[in-house]
Amino acid sequence: MSGQIPILKVKGLTKKYGEKIVLNGIDLEVEKGKVIAILGPSGCGKSTFLRCLNGLEEVQGGDILLDNESLINKSTKWREVRQRIGMVFQSYDLFPNLTVMENILLSPLKVQKRNRSEVEAQALELLERVGLADRANDYPRQLSGGQKQRIAIVRALCINPEIMLFDEVTASLDPEMVREVLDVIAQLAEQGMTMLIVTHEMNFAKLVADEVIFMDKGNIHEQAPAEQFFTNPQTERAQQFLNILQF
Amino acid sequence: MLNSGISVLFEGVNLERLLLGLLVTLRVALIAVVISIVMGILIGIIRTSKSKLVQILFKLYLELFRIIPILVWLFVIYYVIPANFDLNLSAEVVALIVFSLWGAAEMSDIVRGAIISLPKHQTESSKALGLSVSQMYRYVLIPQATKRCIPPMINLITRMIKTTALLTMIGVVEVIKVGQQIIEVNNLEHPTISFWIYGFVFFLYFVICFPLSRFSRKLERKWAT
Ligand SMILES: Nc1ncnc2c1ncn2[C@@H]1O[C@H](COP(=O)(O)OP(=O)(O)OP(=O)(O)O)[C@@H](O)[C@H]1O
Ligand SMILES: [Mg+2]
């Protein structure tokens, strides 16, 4: 399957907050079905990078191409792009006023105007897959952090995105709940979902990622196949980073 | 004798007049509350806008009603406007205007506060799911903000009902004014009359406001989590 046109292409992406440069010309190509782990020290711009990809942040330069179509122009309909590029955040961001099922159905019904019974069936199947089918009618406050995060993933998946962005989705979970969430993402990788995953879980990244990009100070400092990056990082900074985490 | 006063309360149409006065009080309060809630929600949502001009303009509007006493507003609109603009407004209409403007300003502050106190990621995840701004308000932000709004809104409504007492000052014949009239007529014959009449007025305010205040506290506790 390699050699095909990348589904997502990023060219010289630049993001500034005022004078401060947060992303300094990021270049990246993502092929369909690939899993990319994004690593790097705190504040290097990982979250900002993901947020630029679905238009949550305005960019100051460069281009993003989804299926060869530029997203950086005035006529971009970000609401449509967001249905193709799903995102799950670090905070458990379910809507507390809605039940689990209502959370999942909201966008498919109101944004995509899909048929209720069809979406419900899909939602139940996805819930089944993450082991939470029996919680469909619960409110978010009745769930643990790990359960909420799995529901948030289901909610994003039910829109049928082509690409998923994960921003440290296990970072605020209790350690014993990290596994159940990572398992869900690993499952997705197996099914061929294209994903960009920001994580601090090195073993997980090693396991599911095809490729690693290591960011530092708004740049991609090193980019390599996962296997190679973890066994034989090329740059000194990446070596340091891995050493610190392996301690 | 203390007892002689109480009989006046039930003499002739006195009781009926007092209750009719109360009706005027409640009519002004109720209409103003309804207008305030509708306008307050609209203005409150507008005030969450990022535009500095919008923020400052509405903040100024709110502060005008906080800094200048309501009584002064009533006098200004009741006496100054007709004199200068050849416009005759009845006291009750003036009361409605002032109370609605005041109520809307305070309501908007409650609504705005409730919306901006919602965690930012509620907005972000709404957007990431492709919701439009109006869908985000309708399905996510307003339902959550409503819970936070209702207890302080009820408190404000109680305050508005109590503040209608000022309306006697521009001649609205509401419950206090009626009370004063009854006292004036009967004062010589029954020196304790004012105790009974004002006591009754006190009781009426209490009967209306106490359940409201209890209700809001109950909701507050119920929704605390
Ligand atoms: N709204 C903002 N205004 C100004 N600066 C910001 C804003 N958001 C982020 N930044 C800055 O941009 C830089 C990159 O932030 P970002 O959140 O993308 O880092 P990160 O790599 O995700 O870090 P972490 O691992 O801590 O999540 C940081 O230096 C941060 O201080
Ligand atoms: Mg981050």
Side-chain angles (χ1 to χ4, degrees), chain A residues 6-8 10 28-39 49-50 53 66 84-88 129 153-154 156-157 160-169 181-199 204-205 207-213 223 226:
Chain A
I7 183 169
L8 185 73
V10 180
L28 181 68
E29 297 198 346
V30 184
E31 278 174 23
K32 201 165 166 45
K34 285 284 188 296
V35 177
I36 311 241
I38 302 173
L39 312 180
F49 177 50
L50 290 193
L53 297 180
L66 180 61
R84 302 176 61 190
I85 307 183
M87 181 159 182
V88 181
R129 228 194 282 164
I153 295 173
V154 167
L157 288 177
N160 295 322
E162 297 157 51
I163 302 175
M164 283 287 292
L165 311 175
F166 292 95
D167 190 3
E168 299 199 45
V169 291
V181 174
L182 294 184
D183 277 341
V184 171
I185 301 176
Q187 228 184 65
L188 281 177
E190 259 166 48
Q191 289 157 8
M193 175 64 84
T194 312
M195 297 190 279
L196 276 74
I197 305 174
V198 173
T199 183
F204 171 68
L207 191 74
V208 302
D210 299 302
E211 217 172 312
V212 169
I213 63 177
Q223 178 172 5

Side-chain angles (χ1 to χ4, degrees), chain A residues 148-163:
Chain A
K148 278 188 245 190
Q149 211 50 312
R150 281 183 279 162
I151 303 285
I153 295 173
V154 167
R155 185 176 67 175
L157 288 177
C158 211
I159 303 172
N160 295 322
E162 297 157 51
I163 302 175

Side-chain angles (χ1 to χ4, degrees), chain A residues 3-235:
Chain A
Q4 62 173 326
I5 306 163
I7 183 169
L8 185 73
K9 221 188 285 186
V10 180
K11 288 191 213 157
L13 190 69
T14 305
K15 166 77 196 170
K16 295 181 200 162
Y17 285 114
E19 288 300 294
K20 188 177 170 198
I21 298 175
V22 178
L23 296 178
N24 189 12
I26 302 276
D27 293 299
L28 181 68
E29 297 198 346
V30 184
E31 278 174 23
K32 201 165 166 45
K34 285 284 188 296
V35 177
I36 311 241
I38 302 173
L39 312 180
S42 182
C44 70
K46 305 181 295 292
S47 300
T48 308
F49 177 50
L50 290 193
R51 295 160 55 81
C52 287
L53 297 180
N54 69 351
L56 289 179
E57 301 284 350
E58 228 172 277
V59 306
Q60 275 71 48
D63 204 356
I64 301 169
L65 296 122
L66 180 61
D67 266 343
N68 256 348
E69 258 181 67
S70 170
L71 300 182
I72 308 301
N73 54 59
K74 288 264 182 310
S75 62
T76 300
K77 296 194 177 69
W78 281 110
R79 292 187 55 206
E80 281 165 24
V81 174
R82 288 167 187 155
Q83 295 170 48
R84 302 176 61 190
I85 307 183
M87 181 159 182
V88 181
F89 301 82
Q90 172 177 342
S91 48
Y92 332 125
D93 51 5
L94 296 180
F95 305 131
N97 55 312
L98 303 177
T99 64
V100 165
M101 191 48 112
E102 289 166 343
N103 262 279
I104 301 172
L105 297 188
L106 183 59
S107 178
L109 293 186
K110 304 297 177 192
V111 178
Q112 301 183 308
K113 315 266 186 232
R114 282 157 64 193
N115 173 284
R116 174 178 276 272
S117 56
E118 175 242 334
V119 185
E120 252 170 18
Q122 184 185 2
L124 275 176
E125 191 200 309
L126 287 166
L127 283 174
E128 194 84 51
R129 228 194 282 164
V130 301
L132 291 171
D134 54 330
R135 311 311 290 268
N137 296 316
D138 285 3
Y139 279 91
R141 67 182 123 77
Q142 297 166 280
L143 305 174
S144 74
Q147 291 171 328
K148 278 188 245 190
Q149 211 50 312
R150 281 183 279 162
I151 303 285
I153 295 173
V154 167
R155 185 176 67 175
L157 288 177
C158 211
I159 303 172
N160 295 322
E162 297 157 51
I163 302 175
M164 283 287 292
L165 311 175
F166 292 95
D167 190 3
E168 299 199 45
V169 291
T170 57
S172 39
L173 293 179
D174 290 335
E176 72 267 24
M177 291 171 186
V178 168
R179 182 61 195 259
E180 65 193 43
V181 174
L182 294 184
D183 277 341
V184 171
I185 301 176
Q187 228 184 65
L188 281 177
E190 259 166 48
Q191 289 157 8
M193 175 64 84
T194 312
M195 297 190 279
L196 276 74
I197 305 174
V198 173
T199 183
H200 286 300
E201 305 283 340
M202 291 304 135
N203 289 326
F204 171 68
K206 210 181 294 183
L207 191 74
V208 302
D210 299 302
E211 217 172 312
V212 169
I213 63 177
F214 174 71
M215 286 180 64
D216 193 28
K217 302 200 179 92
N219 288 300
I220 294 187
H221 205 70
E222 182 166 343
Q223 178 172 5
E227 180 71 24
Q228 184 187 321
F229 178 83
F230 287 108
T231 51
N232 189 15
Q234 299 296 303
T235 61

Side-chain angles (χ1 to χ4, degrees), chain B residues 20-211:
Chain B
L20 283 177
L22 183 71
L23 210 65
V24 173
T25 297
L26 290 180
R27 186 167 63 211
V28 172
L30 206 75
I31 297 175
V33 161
V34 171
I35 296 174
S36 299
I37 290 177
V38 174
M39 279 175 46
I41 290 174
L42 277 175
I43 299 174
I45 291 174
I46 294 172
R47 284 184 63 202
T48 61
S49 140
K50 288 200 182 76
S51 153
K52 274 272 171 301
L53 183 70
V54 169
Q55 286 178 12
I56 292 173
L57 232 56
F58 282 106
K59 180 79 182 160
L60 190 72
Y61 161 52
L62 173 65
E63 287 304 322
L64 280 176
F65 277 88
R66 290 213 170 139
I67 294 167
I68 301 171
I70 298 304
L71 185 57
V72 175
W73 275 108
L74 289 170
F75 282 159
V76 165
I77 308 243
Y78 188 61
Y79 293 111
V80 178
I81 289 194
N84 292 292
F85 295 90
D86 192 31
L87 198 70
N88 241 327
L89 300 175
S90 79
E92 206 174 315
V93 169
V94 170
L96 275 176
I97 294 174
V98 171
F99 272 63
S100 300
L101 286 174
W102 168 48
E106 292 287 358
M107 290 286 180
S108 83
D109 210 42
I110 293 171
V111 171
R112 174 183 165 273
I115 292 176
I116 62 176
S117 73
L118 297 175
K120 185 158 167 272
H121 57 72
Q122 292 288 315
T123 316
E124 300 233 295
S125 40
S126 307
K127 283 189 192 155
L129 288 167
L131 298 186
S132 66
V133 172
S134 62
Q135 287 172 333
M136 172 173 87
Y137 274 97
R138 176 158 170 211
Y139 299 111
V140 178
L141 298 185
I142 291 178
Q144 290 181 51
T146 304
K147 271 192 172 185
R148 297 176 192 219
C149 282
I150 287 176
M153 271 189 179
I154 295 174
N155 289 338
L156 176 60
I157 292 168
T158 338
R159 252 169 78 207
M160 287 172 75
I161 293 173
K162 286 188 293 186
T163 313
T164 53
L166 294 178
L167 299 186
T168 89
M169 306 295 287
I170 56 168
V172 177
V173 188
E174 42 68 81
V175 63
I176 295 179
K177 189 79 190 173
V178 173
Q180 283 171 345
Q181 289 169 349
I182 295 173
I183 290 168
E184 272 164 33
V185 173
N186 297 284
N187 211 5
L188 282 180
E189 212 175 320
H190 307 278
T192 61
I193 180 79
S194 60
F195 172 82
W196 288 105
I197 297 292
Y198 283 133
F200 185 64
V201 171
F202 175 98
F203 169 76
L204 290 177
Y205 273 110
F206 181 82
V207 163
I208 292 162
C209 293
F210 184 68

